[in-house]
Amino acid sequence: MQKYLDDIVRGLFRENPTFRMLIGMCPPLAVTTSAVSGLIMGLATTAVLICSSTLISVLKSLIPKQVRIPVFIVIIATFVTMIDLILAALVPDVHKVLGLFVPLIVVNCLILGRAEAFASRMPVSRSITDALGMGLGFTWALTFIGCIRELLGAGTLFGATIMGESFVNWQIMQLPPGAFFTMGLIVFTLNLIGNHRARNVQKAARKQIQVVGKEG
Amino acid sequence: MRDALKLVLTLGLVTAISGGVLGLFYNYTMPIVEARQMTDMIEKGFKGVLPEAHTFRSVENGQGEKPEGVTEIYEGLDQGGQRIGIAFETAAQGFEGPIVMAVGVDPGTETVVGIKIMSHTETPGMGARIEEESFTNQFQHKSLADPFMVGSDIDGITAATISSKAVAGTVGEKSRQVLNYLGYDVETPVIQEPVEPEPVEEPAETEEPLTIDMVLEELLPQAQEFTQLGEGQAGMPGDVTVIYEAFDDQGQRTGLAFETIAQGYGGDITMAVGIDVASETLAGIKILSHSETQGLGSRIEEPDFLEQFRGKSLSDPFAIGEDVDGITAATISSEAVAGTVGTKARQVLDYVSH
């Protein structure tokens, strides 16, 4: 049970695809102009990730090694097209906003990366939890970037006005450079915290050695 | 070999399954998408162009072929189920791409009730202004007997003539076609070219082309009396149609005026030439008519060019680049005028003197 929980938590934080592994960077930069589109893009990617990881894990012993990548891509593309059709049928407004980026999930290297690195080697159950963790990690990262850019760029959050009347929109945050600024600052902050924590752990370990030494 | 076959089969199988699944999915979702687009059209389009209708019902059958470019025809019904109007969807070919619009017509009065632009890809700020109510409101309660022409009964959008014309023309044409298709008899009006403010005066001028007798006094201002030497008389120099003699108050012949034709770039250039007999110089020339290119050859009419000939000796070569300045980018027209004036003036002087 612990393993499964680990899989999920790992994707959310320690190996967060967007902030820690920096893979699948196109959507975090391109569709995060608002929190809602970030959230929906993340959920769509998660859905594709879970479906394709599961199927690939099920089929892993049947797929010959030499053609595994084309087979993975066909499976991923099939699920992406299905999601695209579902979005078009059920939530047309969202579909309009995401536009071209939904079909582009096919080439999101996060999905192919998890298929190749995890799902094709691990049991089905763990592939699902891994996909869930990675997908949710991707989703919160996109939503978070979307929140910052929407708040500073348009003065709203999930469509609701937050900033007062006097707030002048930082237009650049809605434009592509805004995505790079936000992304860079978040990664910087997370690395700072990560390094700090690592140093604390080292210190604690050293102290323990000293204590042990004295006692011994 | 067996391995290769296995790879081919695996990939083939996977893609086949994928294709099949997507096909099923597509068949399942497309009706939903299309139905939603249709409700959108009715809610946002047809209700706007036929505001009095209570419900809309699709019309499938009509007489003959369904008009080309008309995608949907609906009838608007009032609460009692009576048809009060027709709403249809059609597309006009705009400047950038199709302009999809909803049009409502009243078959009783044969008028357009209203139009609404549903989607388009025209240039923002220019063609895109066809969406504005100031433009679309012109079509409200407009009779189908009108020509639907930008410039005559529709005010177009400045700098977006193509988009405006596309919308106006399509609304008129398709409304008539749809009503005829549904069994109403709507006549297509005889469409007259729009009379624009500027050319109003010009047709009057072309009706009565300039002739040499109108410009005689301009060519030879000193003369008191003119006598025609006779039209088409034998022995007259070729291409010279009329010759006038000009006399002063003592009855002395002081000048000659004649009409001749030069072969220009776009066709004949008819001109009137005045000669001062005593000094054997040109008194002046005047272009009567021509069909040269606007803005290029047509500049032979400008005083800058014509004034060069005033007082010019007939013994000059009359060659462009030597003694006459031609018009840039209109060498043929300039050379035709200069050469013809020189040659014919000498021939006419010879002819009259003998």
Side-chain angles (χ1 to χ4, degrees):
Chain A
M1 196 58 219
Q2 186 60 39
K3 280 191 302 208
Y4 299 120
L5 210 61
D6 271 354
D7 281 337
I8 294 177
V9 176
R10 195 185 61 229
L12 283 177
F13 302 105
R14 205 173 66 246
E15 287 184 19
N16 185 292
T18 306
F19 294 143
R20 305 298 298 187
M21 296 200 290
L22 299 175
I23 57 171
M25 292 306 292
C26 182
L29 295 173
V31 293
T32 53
T33 48
S34 73
V36 173
S37 42
L39 179 67
I40 290 167
M41 186 66 188
L43 291 178
T45 310
T46 307
V48 174
L49 188 57
I50 293 174
C51 294
S52 55
S53 279
T54 310
L55 191 61
I56 286 166
S57 188
V58 169
L59 298 175
K60 63 179 178 290
S61 56
L62 299 174
I63 304 171
K65 270 271 168 274
Q66 299 93 319
V67 291
R68 66 182 193 287
I69 301 286
V71 171
F72 292 169
I73 289 287
V74 171
I75 291 174
I76 295 167
T78 309
F79 283 118
V80 169
T81 313
M82 283 161 66
I83 298 273
D84 193 29
L85 290 173
I86 292 173
L87 287 180
L90 301 183
V91 275
D93 296 335
V94 172
H95 186 256
K96 217 179 235 173
V97 173
L98 294 181
L100 185 64
F101 293 102
V102 175
L104 279 181
I105 298 176
V106 176
V107 289
N108 189 325
C109 59
L110 168 64
I111 297 168
L112 186 64
R114 289 332 278 175
E116 170 74 359
F118 205 96
S120 63
R121 294 153 209 264
M122 292 292 193
V124 179
S125 51
R126 286 204 59 197
S127 298
I128 295 175
T129 47
D130 174 73
L132 190 63
M134 287 291 164
L136 292 179
F138 188 71
T139 306
W140 85 255
L142 257 67
T143 315
F144 188 56
I145 302 176
C147 284
I148 294 177
R149 290 180 67 190
E150 188 182 340
L151 190 65
L152 297 177
T156 59
L157 207 54
F158 289 97
T161 311
I162 300 287
M163 298 298 205
E165 284 281 306
S166 59
F167 178 73
V168 178
N169 293 341
W170 301 10
Q171 199 62 52
I172 196 164
M173 294 305 279
Q174 292 276 296
L175 302 173
F180 285 97
F181 295 153
T182 315
M183 189 66 207
L185 286 173
I186 293 174
V187 171
F188 169 76
T189 316
L190 287 179
N191 282 347
L192 213 61
I193 296 171
N195 291 347
H196 186 69
R197 205 177 273 164
R199 229 175 287 133
N200 281 354
V201 171
Q202 270 184 348
K203 260 187 212 162
R206 233 177 267 141
K207 233 180 230 169
Q208 210 157 14
I209 291 167
Q210 284 171 350
V211 173
V212 172
K214 268 182 195 166
E215 282 179 355
Chain B
M1 188 58 212
R2 272 198 45 168
D3 279 352
L5 201 66
K6 193 182 163 203
L7 299 185
V8 172
L9 283 179
T10 316
L11 260 182
L13 195 68
V14 168
T15 43
I17 294 173
S18 157
V21 169
L22 286 182
L24 286 176
F25 234 79
Y26 184 82
N27 279 338
Y28 172 71
T29 52
M30 260 315 114
I32 304 178
V33 172
E34 275 170 10
R36 210 204 40 255
Q37 281 170 348
M38 212 50 246
T39 22
D40 265 15
M41 192 70 195
I42 293 174
E43 285 299 320
K44 294 178 190 158
F46 293 167
K47 282 203 173 156
V49 298
L50 273 187
E52 278 159 36
H54 189 251
T55 47
F56 287 91
R57 193 169 60 192
S58 177
V59 182
E60 300 298 341
N61 298 313
Q63 299 171 342
E65 292 271 306
K66 195 172 179 177
E68 202 183 326
V70 176
T71 29
E72 298 288 343
I73 304 178
Y74 274 66
E75 55 181 348
L77 309 171
D78 67 7
Q79 277 170 323
Q82 289 291 309
R83 178 188 278 188
I84 56 159
I86 302 291
F88 64 93
E89 178 193 18
T90 188
Q93 187 51 50
F95 186 65
E96 301 274 353
I99 302 170
V100 179
M101 51 198 174
V103 182
V105 282
D106 181 350
T109 57
E110 295 187 358
T111 53
V112 172
V113 180
I115 71 162
K116 188 168 164 71
I117 309 292
M118 301 303 290
S119 74
H120 67 85
T121 50
E122 303 304 284
T123 322
M126 299 174 81
R129 295 181 52 208
I130 49 169
E131 276 185 338
E132 290 178 6
E133 284 188 354
S134 59
F135 180 70
T136 55
N137 281 354
Q138 298 183 77
F139 295 93
Q140 280 181 2
H141 308 296
K142 186 163 182 54
S143 167
L144 287 179
D146 290 346
F148 284 83
M149 297 267 288
V150 169
S152 73
D153 60 329
I154 296 286
D155 288 333
I157 290 161
T158 312
T161 315
I162 292 178
S163 316
S164 321
K165 275 187 177 163
V167 171
T170 309
V171 169
E173 187 192 344
K174 295 300 165 195
S175 300
R176 289 181 210 114
Q177 286 178 1
V178 165
L179 287 188
N180 285 334
Y181 170 71
L182 295 177
Y184 300 98
D185 196 21
V186 182
E187 275 184 30
T188 308
V190 181
I191 294 181
Q192 292 167 331
E193 282 299 312
V195 185
E196 285 176 20
E198 275 179 90
V200 169
E201 315 236 326
E202 266 178 311
E205 269 183 44
T206 44
E207 274 167 31
E208 260 183 88
L210 273 181
T211 54
I212 185 164
D213 16 319
M214 298 176 190
V215 297
L216 281 176
E217 277 158 24
E218 218 177 303
L219 287 176
L220 298 166
Q222 264 92 40
Q224 296 296 314
E225 220 185 304
F226 295 96
T227 325
Q228 192 175 345
L229 261 185
E231 217 164 340
Q233 220 173 40
M236 283 217 319
D239 285 342
V240 175
T241 39
V242 195
I243 302 179
Y244 276 95
E245 286 180 297
F247 301 96
D248 64 7
D249 43 5
Q250 270 104 48
Q252 278 286 313
R253 189 174 72 188
T254 55
L256 290 167
F258 67 95
E259 185 179 319
T260 187
I261 296 165
Q263 191 52 51
Y265 184 72
D268 289 347
I269 303 171
T270 315
M271 50 200 176
V273 183
I275 305 171
D276 187 80
V277 179
S279 59
E280 297 198 350
T281 57
L282 287 183
I285 70 169
K286 178 112 186 133
I287 307 292
L288 298 177
S289 73
H290 71 87
S291 43
E292 303 305 283
T293 319
Q294 276 301 321
L296 294 166
S298 71
R299 296 179 54 209
I300 51 170
E301 279 184 318
E302 290 181 4
D304 274 356
F305 179 68
L306 295 179
E307 282 302 311
Q308 299 184 79
F309 296 95
R310 188 181 295 277
K312 196 166 176 54
S313 165
L314 288 187
S315 51
D316 285 349
F318 282 85
I320 298 291
E322 271 182 60
D323 59 328
V324 177
D325 287 335
I327 289 158
T328 313
T331 314
I332 292 178
S333 315
S334 320
E335 275 177 353
V337 171
T340 310
V341 168
T343 323
K344 294 299 164 194
R346 283 181 219 113
Q347 286 176 2
V348 167
L349 196 60
D350 268 6
Y351 168 73
V352 175
S353 322
H354 293 117

